[in-house]
Amino acid sequence: MTKHIFARLTKPAAALCLAGVTVAAIAVPAQAEKIKNPVAVFSGLDKITGRTTSFDVYIDETVQFGALQVTPKVCFSRDDTESQKISGFVEVDEITLDRKIRRIFTGWMFAASPGLNAVDHPVYDVWLTGCKPSSDVPAPSETKSESQ
């Protein structure tokens, strides 16, 4: 009797386990390769004036927006056949009234969820909106070579 009950429980359990493995294997979406871009695109809001500004920043370069200095370290996108999941690792510093630089944000920003990891500043908001392979703004190396 025990052998019979064990056999009855084992067959359905084995069938469920096998079906679960099959469903799990089918349900996993393919991951698109990340594309590293040389330019990150940000939007910034001045809360005093209500003015929003869009600006391009080259990777590892710093751009000042109001009292904030924004430095992207990497900006990833996906190819055109995939839904865009734009993400970037960013550092944001604040220039205080006594001219000291204070880091107020270090982390990942996601263009699809700008409020997820927002810069916490009373006057300015900055968020990542995109990544680009090039920009109308001259690259920092071009600017340095022209001024010498």
Side-chain angles (χ1 to χ4, degrees), residues 27-28 144:
V28 175
K144 289 177 186 173

Side-chain angles (χ1 to χ4, degrees), residues 60-62 67-73 89-96 100-107 109 118-121:
D60 289 325
E61 294 299 321
T62 302
L68 303 181
Q69 293 181 334
V70 181
T71 308
K73 295 298 184 179
F89 192 82
V90 182
E91 296 175 345
V92 180
D93 297 321
E94 175 189 30
I95 302 172
T96 62
K100 293 182 181 171
I101 296 175
R102 179 175 62 107
R103 175 79 31 98
I104 61 170
F105 179 83
T106 300
M109 288 186 175
V119 173
D120 185 26
H121 190 269

Side-chain angles (χ1 to χ4, degrees), residues 64-114:
Q64 188 159 344
F65 174 72
L68 303 181
Q69 293 181 334
V70 181
T71 308
K73 295 298 184 179
V74 68
C75 197
F76 291 122
S77 63
R78 307 292 190 278
D79 69 13
D80 293 335
T81 62
E82 299 291 327
S83 63
Q84 286 300 310
K85 295 181 182 174
I86 296 167
S87 58
F89 192 82
V90 182
E91 296 175 345
V92 180
D93 297 321
E94 175 189 30
I95 302 172
T96 62
L97 293 174
D98 55 352
R99 301 246 181 237
K100 293 182 181 171
I101 296 175
R102 179 175 62 107
R103 175 79 31 98
I104 61 170
F105 179 83
T106 300
W108 289 95
M109 288 186 175
F110 304 96
S113 302

Side-chain angles (χ1 to χ4, degrees), residues 139-148:
S141 59
E142 293 173 18
T143 307
K144 289 177 186 173
S145 63
E146 290 173 5
S147 64
Q148 292 177 354

Side-chain angles (χ1 to χ4, degrees), residues 127-148:
W127 62 95
L128 179 69
T129 60
C131 298
K132 299 195 302 190
S134 63
S135 175
D136 295 337
V137 176
S141 59
E142 293 173 18
T143 307
K144 289 177 186 173
S145 63
E146 290 173 5
S147 64
Q148 292 177 354

